[in-house]
Amino acid sequence: MNKPLRKASVFTLLLVLSLIVWATYVQMARGSELRDNQHNTRNAIARYANPLGDIVVDGKPITGSRATEGSLRYKRTYTDGKLYAPVTGYASQAYGSNQLEALERSVLDGSDSRLKNPLQAVTREPSEPGDVITTIDPAAQKAAFEGLGNKTGAAVAIDPETGRILALVSTPSYDPGSFAGSSTDDQKAWQALQKDKKQPMLNRALRQTYPPGSAFKLVVAAAALEDGLYGSVDERTESPDPYLLPGTVTKMRNENPSAPCKDATIRTALQYSCNTVFAKMAVDLGQKKVAAQAEKFGFDDSELDIPVRAAKSVYPSGMNDSQTGLTGIGQFDVTATPLQMAMVTSAIADGGKLMTPYLVDRTTDGGASALDRTEAKSYGRAMSEDTADQLRSAMRTVVDRGTGTNAKIPGTEVGGKTGTAQHGENNSGTPYAWFVSYADDGEGHKVAVAVVVEDSDAARADVSGGGLAGPIARAVMRATLA
């Protein structure tokens, strides 16, 4: 063999060897990465080649699948899509999936190894899809959705004894079925939702944080009782009215000038929502003690999964005394999701024990057999049983003859706390209206509820937690206990 031909042969052999090495590397080292890449159309074709399993509420599927004529043979469908979008999320041929549709994807599309029999494990034939059974109570979900109506806001209801999420609503909402396919109409629907300034695809119940306003006073009251700063909710506090914020010339006053807030007890201060009492209480406790109490309720937890990840609710640090005073009324940089505030009232309702909230009861093989089941799990003890008893008593006073009378349910024990939180620079925006509550029918049924109204048709002067959010919470509690 002459020299040029030998060089060409060696070069060609090296190219072949390089190709073999590269192909082996791609298959062995990057196979999973390329297979799972969101731009790999094979994944979408495989996922939508067969009907998906269902997400189920109270024994009835709220999702389905419909045959199409494209390469993606089946399209996801939704029953009452707007009502349940904060629960299901979406599964779109063109835009992927999120929330339960994404987190439980392997069960819903049949790729979960637990769904395969031994023969399918060898042949790699697709398995029948499984189902996802949620904890949602349809009556509570509907009551929250209809109560919020055209308002912008969210509502969460929890079973305090187990942590089961009974309602999870965010408004305005969207229909996940409107863009579940890959047609031009689906694309237009998606683009319209992305451009909508009201952000209907934002899950406000889990992913949006708000200043909790006066609803946060429950956390401060719990800290004061646990610390021993005050021995009971009926012990008089040392609270001037107005209250001069430390290190400033700013005097904090109360919304109701005639309210008996000077040196008021915790019960009276919650009843009339006295800012001066809780601002001074937070300063007297100090930010570390308030923060420690807030964390027991779930604040500053960045890994709260239900299984959908909730945004972190925050109690700030590094504050001076005047800023700490503002946090005592749920302002400054305190932020909370509606889920977080439902957790606060859940712990109070269940004697100080806080259960980890969860949305999925179990996944199944599409029949009666469970693949896994969520067990009720303790998040931790937020406060002593005595403190919880006292706070429930004070919250009942709020509903019986305070700012929360709109939440009364005849024949049922109801406790609550209103909240109106400043919004925008120098409070230029419409205030947020909160109502957090619990109800106990005396027959072993309890529910904890948090409602926030971000925006409504009400005039600014008419915005209040008791007026806007209270009736919604009442409807949810009645629906749940019924």
Side-chain angles (χ1 to χ4, degrees), residues 32 67 92 148 196 210 382 388 451-452 479:
S32 297
S92 168
L148 283 164
D196 193 328
Y210 303 90
V451 177
V452 62

Side-chain angles (χ1 to χ4, degrees), residues 17 66 229 367:
L17 290 174
R66 185 172 69 237
L229 180 65

Side-chain angles (χ1 to χ4, degrees), residues 314-397:
V314 174
Y315 183 80
S317 60
M319 300 175 289
N320 58 36
D321 284 348
S322 65
Q323 292 166 338
T324 300
L326 291 174
T327 68
I329 60 171
Q331 294 288 173
F332 188 56
D333 290 338
V334 183
T335 59
T337 62
L339 173 66
Q340 173 62 78
M341 295 313 296
M343 290 170 67
V344 170
T345 53
S346 177
I348 294 171
D350 196 33
K353 295 179 295 182
L354 178 59
M355 304 301 289
T356 302
Y358 65 98
L359 183 60
V360 175
D361 179 76
R362 63 191 184 279
T363 57
T364 72
D365 61 2
S369 299
L371 300 177
D372 59 47
R373 186 183 299 272
T374 305
E375 300 293 339
K377 180 182 177 183
S378 173
Y379 189 90
R381 177 161 283 282
M383 72 200 88
S384 68
E385 187 171 353
D386 178 64
T387 294
D389 288 344
Q390 293 199 56
L391 288 179
R392 284 199 306 276
S393 174
M395 290 172 71
R396 290 196 297 271
T397 301

